[in-house]
Amino acid sequence: MTHTNLHSTDPTASPGMPQVTAGTTAPRVSAGPRRDFSPPPADKVLIIGLDGATFDVLKPMMKHGRMPNLARLVKEGTSGILYSTQPPITPAAWTTFMTGKGPGRHGIVDFERYDVATGKLSFNSTYEIRERTIWEILSEKGFRVGAVHVPMTYPPRKVNGFMISGFETPSVAAEFTWPPELKQEILRRWPNYSYRADWQRRVFGRDKALRRNLRHIERSFHQGAELTTFCGERFGWDVLMVLFKLVDNLQHKTWKYLDPKTAVRYPHEAELAANCFVELDKALGMLFDYARRYSASILMMSDHGHGSLDGKAQPNLLLKRWGYLKIRSSTVQIRRKLSKIADRFLGRRRTRFDANLGIEHELVVDWEQTRACVIHAGMNGFLYISLKGRQPHGVVEPSDYEKVRDDLRNRFLAAKCTDPAGREVRIFSEVHKPEELYGCNREEQPWMPDLLLVPQPGLAVVRRIVGRQPVRWSSLRRLEGTHRVEGILIANGPHIRQGSQTTGRIVDIAPTLLAALGLKVPSDMEGNVLTDLFDRMPTIEYELPQTAEWTRQECVYSEAEKEILTKRLTELGYLE
């Protein structure tokens, strides 16, 4: 296993200059970064994203010697908890990282977006991000940037450097790189490059399937590191980022093998799952060596943490029980099921993106008698009131809107159930009006739900109604993982404190990165500079922000691409 000396330098290295290989054209080189303050605490920064990583898994791995490279990074740097967004989900959190602003400003709360005017769902993309990202800000300041597999970067935008879009990319048939010609270089060098989730389930031969699934994840770790160093040399860089998405997916699928509380029951499977982190550490060691070559600071982070998925909360069952949601008669439900069977038999396709079918795949809703419904769910529940004049079949009078919201908020906060130990527990820890949570204007953000339902830790919200209990508890045999707000933060480099502890929020990372690079921070960023990371205080000054150029775009995904993404996100547990 590789051990790295993170602070030594290579006098022969040529930091940040493009290395041109045979058959390639030299990229245009900018005049160099235009810093506001010199010398900065960080000349270059390598950002490593471990999607969904938690110290609850990483600390035992380091303690037992499985991740020596990561252990060294922590020992020689500063580390601690990085708190996620609400909801703590990939698209909301990584967009907050990229913008330094919360969901109420950048416009992303989930993979999906509900258009109240049409009653349709669509997938979010870079076109829905309403604020400027660090890639744009740094590019305009002359910094060469590179981003590999960061979520919410499809379609990739033009930057001063390169970008390879994240796992919301439909397939390699799409244009997933900037510059566009980089795509063919990648496919020539890595013929098996793919965006498929590729997690297989089998009733028989489960051990063989598990081994295959985990090998796929291990290969993705090494490929991500190879791709990052290849493109870093190809284009040069001042700020370079790679994200390992399948850390999150590994934990979703194998949590009972990774959690020290349950792993002892499955020693064979636990060893296989733990070996993924051994391979991850090898890939990280390669990246740490690469950062050392250029005397770069390292910033490692996750978008959220992880824990056991103890149960699934069913708010639509509660809405039905309270008389807010009306399900059509059993006769209509039977007809709908027969229609779906006929559609499949005849090859007709009705997708979750047809008007209101996102919810009607699971519930046959009588919209003319429904006052509220959780239309989509991403860890949290996104509840929309059927408001007259807003939705196509709105029934609630605008004058009753706040009264209905307050009643529902109080009901959900008071809702309780009995857990498997026989204890009475609250189902939802928080229920928010989004404009209060995010400090934004509802008129400017019509995509926002009317209420955001935050379940207790260990629960995830679903739209579907199954059974008669408001929570469907998981058995140990079927135990998987889900998100927590406590992510990870590790910093290491020439001017980073050694052996220190800190805490921060994911919204703090963008202003911290800019200050570390010797730049002024846009005054409209909502995060703070994490000064206790540094042994040399960065200069912190603010500048007037530039207004983001945002216009509403049509959905970038074709119907076929939507089906690909639906299948992928369903396989990974993000959609029902």
Side-chain angles (χ1 to χ4, degrees):
M1 297 182 183
T2 305
H3 292 267
T4 59
N5 181 350
L6 298 168
H7 299 296
S8 63
T9 58
D10 180 356
T12 66
S14 179
M17 293 303 293
Q19 305 297 309
V20 183
T21 57
T24 64
T25 303
R28 293 190 300 273
V29 181
S30 67
R34 299 187 298 277
R35 304 180 196 268
D36 297 311
F37 313 106
S38 268
D43 184 54
K44 294 179 180 295
V45 179
L46 172 65
I47 306 170
I48 301 173
L50 302 183
D51 199 287
T54 170
F55 283 123
D56 290 345
V57 170
L58 296 180
K59 283 184 177 179
M61 294 292 174
M62 290 187 282
K63 179 181 177 181
H64 292 102
R66 297 182 185 273
M67 303 189 77
N69 292 310
L70 183 62
R72 189 180 184 99
L73 188 80
V74 171
K75 182 180 179 181
E76 296 182 354
T78 293
S79 62
I81 299 298
L82 187 70
Y83 289 95
S84 186
T85 49
Q86 199 61 264
I89 192 169
T90 294
W94 285 120
T95 308
T96 292
F97 151 74
M98 291 190 290
T99 61
K101 299 169 187 177
R105 296 282 299 282
H106 59 61
I108 308 295
V109 294
D110 192 13
F111 291 103
E112 296 178 301
R113 168 184 300 261
Y114 179 63
D115 187 335
V116 292
T118 63
K120 290 186 177 182
L121 285 168
S122 61
F123 281 125
N124 282 312
S125 71
T126 53
Y127 291 150
E128 277 72 52
I129 299 176
R130 297 176 176 230
E131 300 289 340
R132 298 168 75 238
T133 68
I134 54 173
W135 315 120
E136 297 165 273
I137 294 170
L138 291 170
S139 292
E140 291 166 5
K141 299 280 188 178
F143 287 76
R144 291 196 69 79
V145 301
V148 179
H149 299 158
V150 179
M152 295 308 303
T153 56
Y154 179 82
R157 294 190 176 185
K158 181 178 179 181
V159 295
N160 182 34
F162 72 93
M163 181 170 287
I164 303 168
S165 57
F167 86 126
E168 72 279 9
T169 307
S171 70
V172 294
E175 297 304 320
F176 62 87
T177 67
W178 176 266
E181 58 268 22
L182 175 59
K183 170 182 171 178
Q184 293 307 318
E185 285 191 63
I186 292 172
L187 296 180
R188 281 195 300 270
R189 193 174 183 91
W190 291 278
N192 64 341
Y193 186 85
S194 173
Y195 284 96
R196 294 194 306 271
D198 216 22
W199 185 273
Q200 294 185 357
R201 293 180 182 272
R202 291 183 182 175
V203 176
F204 302 104
R206 284 186 294 177
D207 183 70
K208 183 178 179 181
L210 178 63
R211 288 176 180 273
R212 180 203 170 278
N213 292 334
L214 297 182
R215 281 198 300 270
H216 171 74
I217 291 174
E218 291 167 1
R219 285 194 298 269
S220 79
F221 294 155
H222 291 287
Q223 188 178 87
E226 293 166 5
L227 188 58
T228 301
T229 55
F230 170 76
C231 291
E233 294 303 285
R234 168 72 173 80
F235 292 94
W237 58 281
D238 298 297
V239 177
L240 178 61
M241 180 171 182
V242 58
L243 184 122
F244 294 98
K245 182 71 186 77
L246 294 190
V247 175
D248 186 56
N249 309 136
L250 171 65
Q251 294 175 145
H252 273 290
K253 299 299 184 183
T254 68
W255 183 259
K256 64 184 176 183
Y257 309 143
L258 294 170
D259 187 338
K261 295 191 296 291
T262 54
V264 292
R265 296 171 178 250
Y266 309 95
H268 172 66
E269 293 87 349
E271 185 65 25
L272 293 177
N275 192 64
C276 284
F277 286 89
V278 174
E279 296 302 316
L280 174 62
D281 193 67
K282 293 176 182 177
L284 293 176
M286 176 181 175
L287 292 170
F288 298 163
D289 285 340
Y290 187 60
R292 172 184 56 81
R293 285 177 54 193
Y294 295 118
S295 300
S297 297
I298 297 171
L299 185 64
M300 183 180 290
M301 57 182 292
S302 66
D303 54 333
H304 52 75
H306 224 91
S308 59
L309 175 56
D310 303 320
K312 296 180 179 181
Q314 303 188 108
N316 281 330
L317 183 147
L318 293 172
L319 289 170
K320 178 187 173 188
R321 185 177 293 174
W322 299 333
Y324 275 96
L325 185 149
K326 177 69 173 178
I327 303 297
R328 293 189 183 275
S329 69
S330 57
T331 301
V332 175
Q333 294 183 55
I334 292 170
R335 284 206 303 264
R336 174 62 58 81
K337 289 180 181 178
L338 292 174
S339 175
K340 288 169 68 176
I341 293 170
D343 286 343
R344 285 196 297 269
F345 181 76
L346 297 173
R348 294 194 298 253
R349 297 174 66 184
R350 304 182 73 201
T351 77
R352 69 188 283 118
F353 302 100
D354 295 334
N356 284 326
L357 276 183
I359 187 67
E360 290 186 5
H361 271 300
E362 286 91 37
L363 299 173
V364 186
V365 178
D366 184 344
W367 292 106
E368 294 182 355
Q369 297 187 61
T370 291
R371 292 182 290 163
C373 182
V374 172
I375 298 291
H376 61 111
M379 306 305 154
N380 294 357
F382 305 101
L383 181 146
Y384 291 84
I385 291 170
S386 180
L387 188 63
K388 188 176 290 187
R390 185 178 70 172
Q391 277 102 316
H393 302 289
V395 296
V396 174
E397 295 290 343
S399 59
D400 293 331
Y401 174 73
E402 287 299 341
K403 182 171 66 175
V404 169
R405 270 214 301 180
D406 289 340
D407 181 57
L408 287 171
R409 185 183 198 178
N410 292 334
R411 286 176 180 268
F412 279 114
L413 284 172
K416 295 182 179 180
C417 68
T418 302
D419 72 7
R423 298 168 300 192
E424 188 177 60
V425 295
R426 289 173 57 194
I427 302 172
F428 299 96
S429 57
E430 304 168 36
V431 178
H432 294 287
K433 296 180 178 180
E435 68 273 21
E436 296 176 357
L437 175 64
Y438 300 136
C440 58
N441 187 309
R442 289 197 64 83
E443 284 68 33
E444 294 175 359
Q445 308 286 17
W447 52 269
M448 285 194 301
D450 296 303
L451 289 175
L452 185 70
L453 311 181
V454 182
Q456 292 286 356
L459 299 181
V461 175
V462 294
R463 305 179 304 182
R464 185 177 301 177
I465 297 176
V466 177
R468 298 182 178 181
Q469 298 303 317
V471 173
R472 298 179 351 231
W473 297 101
S474 303
S475 65
L476 178 60
R477 186 176 64 86
R478 300 179 64 87
L479 186 67
E480 294 189 339
T482 192
H483 300 178
R484 300 289 194 274
V485 295
E486 299 89 356
I488 71 162
L489 174 63
I490 306 169
N492 188 300
H495 295 289
I496 300 296
R497 294 182 187 273
Q498 293 194 35
S500 294
Q501 295 289 311
T502 190
T503 58
R505 302 168 299 159
I506 198 167
V507 75
D508 298 328
I509 300 300
T512 300
L513 175 66
L514 296 177
L517 292 166
L519 295 174
K520 294 179 180 178
V521 177
S523 59
D524 63 343
M525 283 192 172
E526 297 177 347
N528 302 315
V529 176
L530 299 175
T531 57
D532 57 352
L533 294 180
F534 306 97
D535 63 13
R536 189 176 77 192
M537 181 70 68
T539 302
I540 304 172
E541 291 188 12
Y542 295 89
E543 64 181 7
L544 292 175
Q546 293 187 30
T547 302
E549 297 180 4
W550 183 85
T551 55
R552 187 173 182 83
Q553 302 279 343
E554 293 297 319
C555 181
V556 302
Y557 298 104
S558 68
E559 291 304 314
E561 289 173 336
K562 289 178 183 177
E563 288 301 298
I564 290 171
L565 282 184
T566 298
K567 183 175 184 293
R568 183 183 305 159
L569 293 171
T570 301
E571 287 176 353
L572 296 175
Y574 292 118
L575 298 180
E576 296 170 81

